[in-house]
Amino acid sequence: MDKSGKKDRRDFLFTASYTLGAIGLGATAWPFIHQMNPDGSVKALASTEVDLSSIQPGKSITVLWRGKPVFIKRRTPEEIAEAKKVKLEELKHPEKDEDRVKKDEWLVMLGVCTHLGCVPLSDKGEYNGWFCPCHGSHYDTSGRIRKGPAPTNMEIPKYEFVDSNTIKIG
Amino acid sequence: MKTYMSKNNFIISFFLAFLLSPFNLYGSDTKLIKVDWSFDGMTGKFDRSSLQRGYQVYNEVCSSCHSMRLLSYRNLGEKGGPEFSIEQVKAIAANFEVQDGPNEEGEMFSRPGRPSDKFVSPYPNIQAASAANGGAYPPDMSVLAKSRKGGANYMYSLLMGYDDPPSGFKLEEGVHYNKYMDGNKIKMAKPLLEGSVTYADGTSATEAQMAKDVTTFLTWASEPHLEARHKTGVRTIIFLIILTILVYLSMKRLWSRIDSEQ
Amino acid sequence: MSQDNHVPSSKFGKWFNDRLPLLTLSSHLREYPTPKNLNYWWTFGAILTFCLITQIVTGVVLGMHYVAHADMAFESIEHIMRDVNYGWLLRYIHANGASMFFLAVYIHIFRALFYGSYKSPREVIWIIGMLIYILMMATAFMGYVLPWGQMSFWGATVITNLFSAVPLVGECITTWLWGGYAVGNPTLTRFFSLHYLLPFIILGLVILHIWALHVPGNNNPVGIEIKKPSKDTVPFHPYITIKDLFALLLFLIIFSGFIFFSPNILGHPDNYIPANPLVTPTHIVPEWYLLPFYAILRSVPDKLGGVLLLFASLFILIALPWLDRSKVRSAIFRPIYKNFFWLLILDVLVLGYMGAMPAEGVYLLIARIATGYYFLHFLIILPLLSSVEKTDPVPMSISEPVLK
């Protein structure tokens, strides 16, 4: 009886030591892993505010956000109408224009071709939108892929209107 | 056989004392004013309102000559610091003009500051700063508290240490007497005078109060993670002590087999 | 070795082990017969291994954020301290880890001095150990330059300038080291490269150090050879592993005390001032663990003389197994040597203290006396003791009752 009691106490001691040791190792490992995650200075630039007031209708600007280009285009009524007219069946990646913009006039999207990552050229291509010279993808006035090897429409980042003249991306 | 153990202890304590005692041989031997700082000790924390007042002193008095180029405005809102709200931080940052660019025309331009920007410096470079201050460079304050022996007590003492020079002490033009400065000569005029700042929180801005607040702020600026460091330290050492006891008992249990096999 | 015929329990284990005998190695390490009378001074080998791994791991992650360029180094370290997740912790572990590494290595070396662990047949272990120590000093010196503070820059200037003392080619060597006409960016970038490299060479030497140890086996506090097989030994695992772990935990408590509550106490405030080639700090001092050598260096007014004496002080240590020829290993049975051992420790502490003082007046005098005594100990006292010391009788075995 005494021997098994002693053995239980010994096992508990060893088990407790191993457990606490394992917790300690885990707690020690975490900083080494977490230091590779984005640091404070990178996270500070995680969102960018953009002033839209100087953009004329039909014009677009490109801003750098999280190291990537973001196209902000102030669409003309014609471009908006053209975007809305397109039937979903014609799209490789079906998306309604309304689902891609918060305000019809403003198209905000990542200027990165979804094929292999080049930056498409504006006001080019057969669909009055963008054309990627790398492998010939054509995007329409809503930034949707219409012709060429790109599989999906240009990505819409998270953004919101801080006021009527300013958006915050990210 | 045991005598060498007690000699051991002597050697070890001598060694530790030698290691841990500050090398009090450079700089002025005048004893510093010792303040009971809230951030001292193993569980020390910063006084939030003191930090905010200290920032006000830095901003309104010191920043005209002293840069703090390694800090960003967003640091003023981060945990463990003055903890201004995000709106306050944005407002503070927007007060400053920051150089950006080049724009599409290839020109540099100015824009209001953002939280992600580094603190704007009063001078474009060290040479300009020295030239504008009689040849003496007003040191950057980002790590000032760690770059002076005595840390917070030294900075506080210096701020409070302006006095008339003893008779016969020669002071050049533009140089002031300070009890705690190395060599007792300092180019900086006494920066804090009663009422130099009108505190936003209504605290009376005496010299000692401003000195205390700005020193607290400067200590935080040098050690923004001090509170996290203390907290993690206490937990780590408690954890280690418990684990040490458990391992010690395990070791004794294990070795009892050997010792009993004699 | 009896563990050479270890048979792995699993089929995969046997297949793998036949091709690369790692399991045999592991079995050897676990079973390795270790004297059962080892005291806590023997735990510092394991502690040192832990220190080396800690420095390598923290160093590698710090290297992911540090920028080795004179214009950005200081700032990049502040970026680590402020912005990188847990950067402050990694930096303080690395900086204080260097001090703890040297604290442990000094205890380890003085253990060897006291118990005669450097004596035949362990001379090669001792020499490899000395090589590790020299590489540690080189690594630490270069590491301290990387923050590019005032002490980084001026410490580098003082020490690299020493090489100009070499006759004829001195200037050439110094320029070659600098990569320029003074310490500057080229110096910094190459120091970063070498600082990253050397620890892995140290790691290789540590493996050789342990390998060389496993040939004769460990020394022990009474210094007598243990004939194998012996009931005076225990298998390394679990008896020694757990003892090493316990000692390591105590070490970690002290280490944590520094990291979390006094992370800058062993450093110099001047290194938080960015390097300025036009302004020299009032007193240039290396980190504490290099102070004794700094004192020896400065005790000679002649530059070349100081350098030669510095190298001599290291070389003399390497030559120790041939300077001390006493047949008795452990100082426990060498009553006269024991006293000189403590005197040596006092001498080294005095040298260290003097290294931190300005090299003038009474400090310089004491440094010279202490330097002289250091060489006296190794060159005169030890060889003399080898022949004239009357040693106490040594027990027949470890298990034999303790002699009164």
Side-chain angles (χ1 to χ4, degrees), chain C residues 51-93:
Chain C
C51 285
L52 178 62
I53 293 172
T54 300
Q55 292 303 97
I56 288 177
V57 172
T58 52
V60 166
V61 299
L62 285 169
M64 294 182 181
H65 304 276
Y66 171 74
V67 179
H69 189 287
D71 297 339
M72 294 191 63
F74 190 90
E75 210 169 298
S76 73
I77 290 186
E78 280 303 308
H79 163 71
I80 289 169
M81 295 293 288
R82 293 166 191 277
D83 291 329
V84 173
N85 302 315
Y86 292 106
W88 57 269
L89 178 61
L90 297 168
R91 195 273 177 105
Y92 279 150
I93 292 177

Side-chain angles (χ1 to χ4, degrees), chain C residues 21-319:
Chain C
L22 285 182
L23 292 172
T24 305
L25 175 65
S26 159
S27 164
H28 159 81
L29 292 172
R30 287 169 80 97
E31 302 300 323
Y32 172 67
T34 317
K36 65 178 179 187
N37 64 336
L38 296 186
N39 59 35
Y40 283 97
W41 301 113
W42 261 264
T43 56
F44 281 87
I47 288 173
L48 282 166
T49 309
F50 173 83
C51 285
L52 178 62
I53 293 172
T54 300
Q55 292 303 97
I56 288 177
V57 172
T58 52
V60 166
V61 299
L62 285 169
M64 294 182 181
H65 304 276
Y66 171 74
V67 179
H69 189 287
D71 297 339
M72 294 191 63
F74 190 90
E75 210 169 298
S76 73
I77 290 186
E78 280 303 308
H79 163 71
I80 289 169
M81 295 293 288
R82 293 166 191 277
D83 291 329
V84 173
N85 302 315
Y86 292 106
W88 57 269
L89 178 61
L90 297 168
R91 195 273 177 105
Y92 279 150
I93 292 177
H94 197 74
N96 287 285
S99 283
M100 296 304 287
F101 203 169
F102 278 93
L103 176 64
V105 95
Y106 287 138
I107 294 174
H108 187 72
I109 291 175
F110 278 100
R111 181 280 309 258
L113 256 43
F114 189 89
Y115 292 105
S117 308
Y118 52 85
K119 289 175 180 295
S120 173
R122 298 181 179 85
E123 303 96 322
V124 172
I125 304 171
W126 171 257
I127 292 173
I128 296 176
M130 277 295 125
L131 287 176
I132 292 173
Y133 177 49
I134 291 170
L135 284 183
M136 273 174 66
M137 290 194 283
T139 308
F141 166 71
M142 292 190 294
Y144 193 68
V145 176
L146 302 182
W148 213 240
Q150 275 289 68
M151 274 310 167
S152 306
F153 181 88
W154 289 100
T157 301
V158 165
I159 298 304
T160 47
N161 260 318
L162 293 176
F163 287 88
S164 62
V166 173
L168 290 174
V169 291
E171 287 287 336
C172 258
I173 293 178
T174 312
T175 308
W176 174 77
L177 277 175
W178 285 336
Y181 305 108
V183 168
N185 192 51
T187 324
L188 176 63
T189 50
R190 64 193 53 185
F191 275 12
F192 179 57
S193 172
L194 295 173
H195 181 75
Y196 209 128
L197 170 69
L198 254 39
F200 293 99
I201 299 186
I202 292 174
L203 186 61
L205 285 176
V206 165
I207 291 171
L208 292 180
H209 190 67
I210 298 173
W211 186 359
L213 170 70
H214 281 210
V215 173
N218 291 70
N219 187 17
N220 64 81
V222 292
I224 55 179
E225 282 298 319
I226 297 174
K227 283 160 211 38
K228 294 190 235 151
S230 168
K231 61 168 167 52
D232 289 335
T233 63
V234 289
F236 192 81
H237 180 71
Y239 297 97
I240 307 299
T241 43
I242 200 164
K243 193 167 179 180
D244 281 346
L245 178 62
F246 171 63
L248 178 62
L249 287 170
L250 290 174
F251 184 81
L252 283 177
I253 292 175
I254 298 174
F255 192 0
S256 300
F258 281 112
I259 294 169
F260 294 103
F261 302 112
S262 294
N264 292 298
I265 203 169
L266 297 170
H268 200 291
D270 273 5
N271 223 33
Y272 277 105
I273 301 173
N276 186 346
L278 300 173
V279 174
T280 313
T282 352
H283 301 279
I284 301 174
V285 266
E287 287 285 84
W288 69 267
Y289 40 79
L290 298 178
L291 289 174
F293 295 104
Y294 199 52
I296 292 175
L297 175 74
R298 296 184 311 174
S299 59
V300 184
D302 175 55
K303 193 198 246 175
L304 180 60
V307 172
L308 289 175
L309 208 62
L310 176 64
F311 285 125
S313 69
L314 275 170
F315 182 71
I316 232 177
L317 266 175
I318 297 175

Side-chain angles (χ1 to χ4, degrees), chain B residues 15-247:
Chain B
F15 186 48
L16 277 172
F18 150 77
L19 262 188
L20 297 174
S21 64
F23 288 31
N24 198 23
L25 291 115
Y26 326 129
S28 170
D29 270 339
T30 318
K31 289 269 178 291
L32 297 174
I33 306 171
K34 297 263 162 62
V35 176
D36 208 0
W37 302 103
S38 67
F39 46 82
D40 276 339
M42 286 171 63
T43 50
K45 289 190 191 28
F46 289 113
D47 177 340
R48 220 58 61 203
S49 26
S50 181
L51 282 179
Q52 295 197 358
R53 289 193 299 270
Y55 172 69
Q56 193 180 345
V57 175
Y58 165 75
N59 192 38
E60 293 179 20
V61 179
C62 322
S63 65
S64 50
C65 301
H66 290 276
S67 57
M68 214 181 235
R69 42 182 281 274
L70 299 175
L71 268 78
S72 306
Y73 293 110
R74 62 181 162 88
N75 297 139
L76 295 170
E78 283 163 0
K79 200 159 172 302
E83 291 181 11
F84 287 109
S85 69
I86 180 76
E87 286 75 33
Q88 284 172 308
V89 170
K90 278 190 192 173
I92 290 171
N95 275 331
F96 298 93
E97 283 296 304
V98 164
Q99 222 204 26
D100 202 350
N103 57 20
E104 272 153 18
E105 278 83 55
E107 285 159 3
M108 306 303 283
F109 58 93
S110 274
R111 58 161 176 77
R114 299 179 195 134
S116 57
D117 289 321
K118 290 264 179 13
F119 275 33
V120 169
S121 295
Y123 304 102
N125 50 57
I126 294 178
Q127 290 80 356
S130 305
N133 287 282
Y137 168 62
D140 181 276
M141 289 182 149
S142 309
V143 282
L144 191 64
K146 287 199 284 194
S147 71
R148 298 290 185 269
K149 193 170 107 141
N153 286 334
Y154 171 79
M155 291 188 299
Y156 180 81
S157 303
L158 189 97
L159 288 169
M160 302 296 287
Y162 284 86
D163 213 346
D164 293 320
S167 62
F169 193 97
K170 215 178 158 296
L171 272 179
E172 295 83 13
E173 184 71 35
V175 179
H176 310 267
Y177 181 82
N178 188 293
K179 289 206 286 262
Y180 301 96
M181 182 72 179
D182 195 14
N184 296 119
K185 293 183 187 176
I186 188 169
K187 270 273 183 53
M188 173 172 76
K190 188 176 159 91
L192 301 175
L193 301 159
E194 173 124 7
S196 292
V197 160
T198 309
Y199 277 134
D201 69 358
T203 308
S204 170
T206 60
E207 277 176 42
Q209 182 67 52
M210 288 188 289
K212 198 157 176 281
D213 291 332
V214 81
T215 300
T216 303
F217 176 74
L218 290 178
T219 306
W220 166 80
S222 283
E223 298 251 54
H225 298 287
L226 179 142
E227 292 186 0
R229 174 162 61 80
H230 284 171
K231 189 180 85 170
T232 312
V234 169
R235 291 176 185 188
T236 301
I237 292 194
I238 290 175
F239 172 86
L240 282 174
I241 289 175
I242 296 173
L243 186 58
T244 305
I245 292 171
L246 281 177
V247 169

Side-chain angles (χ1 to χ4, degrees), chain A residues 36-74:
Chain A
M36 280 172 68
N37 273 328
D39 64 53
S41 59
V42 167
K43 290 207 289 237
L45 298 172
S47 47
T48 309
E49 285 190 9
V50 186
D51 175 24
L52 308 172
S53 53
S54 55
I55 308 175
Q56 298 303 314
K59 292 273 180 287
S60 70
I61 62 166
T62 306
V63 297
L64 204 59
W65 172 73
R66 292 190 183 178
K68 289 174 281 206
V70 174
F71 297 152
I72 303 174
K73 179 151 181 161
R74 188 171 182 182

